[in-house]
Amino acid sequence: MSGLIQQDESAAPRIPNLELAHHKFTLEAGDPSAHEETYNILLKEIKEKSMAPFYKNLSDTVPIFSKRFDSELYKQMVEENATKLEALDAKIKDAEENLGETEISDALEEKLRFFAGILDKENALKAYEVAFDKTATLGTKIDIVFTILRLGLFVQDDSLIRKSIERAKGLIEQGGDWDRRNRLRVYEGYYLLTQRGFEKACNLFLDTLSTFTSTELMPYPKFISYVILISMLVLKRPDVKSKVMEAPEVLEVVHELPMLSRFMDSLYRGEYESFFSSLASVEGLLKADRAFHLHARYYVSEMRIRSYIQMLQSYRSVTMESMARQFGVSEEFLDNDLSRFIAAGRLNCVIDKEGRVVETNRPDSKNSQYQSCIKHGDLLLNRIQRLSRVINI
């Protein structure tokens, strides 16, 4: 960990700075050995930006900040915030009395960004509605919504996030430009990821893979890591190769993500022992990720199922010893793991306890299609008979 990442000049303003939310998460649920360094990073940023509301929130919710709360520092930052707010109000008044609509809009948006930047949610929401109502330009309206959407993502306010996404969609349909349209896809995809909406998030992320500019939300390597993780979960094996593994955008940065590169390659190539080893490392990565940590257990479970299905597709039957050896686990672990997934209806196989053999019983797809055709044919004939009776009458 080495301080805060520099702002990309082509990105929207990093207001609020979502990297601070990740640091807060580290203090709440991350590695205790990183707490001291994380505390110092947060405190430095808080002091530099006079983030009194955020400092107070941390002192109320995070033990290390509660123990080290500096009342004099807090008082000083409150006074600095009041002085800044006074200057902003004066600027708005001057714009209203002496300048035009553009200057008024800019001043109101600056006030919104001030409150969002110091994490004063209540006042930011008030400033948001005023700025939105008094702004005529469609692009600026969308940017204002994006600011409040980032604030919602920071404080994890689901209602505010959903309303902001829907509002932004409505505005973009009225004529939003290409960049803002793509930016919204990334924002929505990120939110869906936090809600376990992996399939739709994957589609949105893949749509913006070659046009990603939303570094105010996350760094590009982080975006690529999410693309790799969720695509492995929801895409078919050939699609993972064509849409992700061979994508120039992924190839450009995958060397920065060696753990995920090995994770993806090992599953695709059927190197299951290497995959299971990588999966254990990925689980630790997910638990330390603010967006993914609630879904880490689910993700690991689903990826184990995927690997079992992929391996068993090549066999009518396989010994427990051979399968355990391929995955680099004990027969006892494999027996328990497979039994759990079989009982839940997630794997189409049975375990012969006596012979220590796993036998696949994949459903006959042709027979299934035949039965479905017969069923739908009967329904159609019944409807035709009822219709003929009505016509005869």
Side-chain angles (χ1 to χ4, degrees), residues 98-242:
N98 304 307
L99 302 172
E101 289 184 358
T102 300
E103 290 78 12
I104 295 172
S105 174
D106 290 345
L108 290 170
E109 187 178 1
E110 186 178 352
K111 184 176 181 180
L112 163 62
R113 288 181 174 177
F114 165 69
F115 283 130
I118 63 174
L119 277 303
D120 186 341
K121 177 187 170 184
E122 183 178 349
N123 283 314
L125 289 174
K126 294 176 183 176
Y128 163 58
E129 292 300 338
V130 175
F132 186 88
D133 290 341
K134 295 194 176 183
T135 296
T137 308
L138 181 61
T140 304
K141 278 182 176 287
I142 297 171
D143 291 341
I144 288 171
V145 176
F146 280 160
T147 298
I148 216 68
L149 175 51
R150 289 192 296 272
L151 179 61
L153 289 169
F154 192 110
V155 300
Q156 297 179 312
D157 185 331
D158 285 348
S159 176
L160 179 59
I161 295 167
R162 288 194 297 269
K163 288 178 182 177
S164 299
I165 288 174
E166 290 307 311
R167 196 171 203 177
K169 283 182 177 178
L171 292 169
I172 285 173
E173 287 305 312
Q174 294 175 32
D177 61 28
W178 168 85
D179 178 70
R180 291 182 175 94
R181 192 178 296 271
N182 282 326
R183 201 176 295 275
L184 178 59
R185 289 193 182 106
V186 177
Y187 282 47
E188 184 179 9
Y190 177 78
Y191 173 64
L192 288 168
L193 187 155
T194 67
Q195 303 299 301
R196 204 178 287 182
F198 295 133
E199 186 168 351
K200 189 173 181 182
C202 183
N203 292 333
L204 289 168
F205 280 174
L206 288 175
D207 284 346
T208 57
L209 191 58
S210 61
T211 57
F212 178 86
T213 57
S214 305
T215 54
E216 76 282 1
L217 188 64
M218 67 184 100
Y220 191 55
K222 171 65 77 173
F223 172 70
I224 294 298
S225 72
Y226 286 150
V227 170
I228 291 172
L229 287 165
I230 60 179
S231 66
M232 288 181 65
L233 185 65
V234 304
L235 295 183
K236 294 179 179 179
R237 192 179 180 191
D239 291 333
V240 171
K241 181 175 176 60
S242 63

Side-chain angles (χ1 to χ4, degrees), residues 24 28 54-66:
K24 181 185 177 186
E28 292 172 331
F54 186 45
Y55 185 58
K56 184 65 170 61
N57 172 267
L58 289 172
S59 70
D60 291 339
T61 58
V62 179
I64 192 171
F65 271 91
S66 300

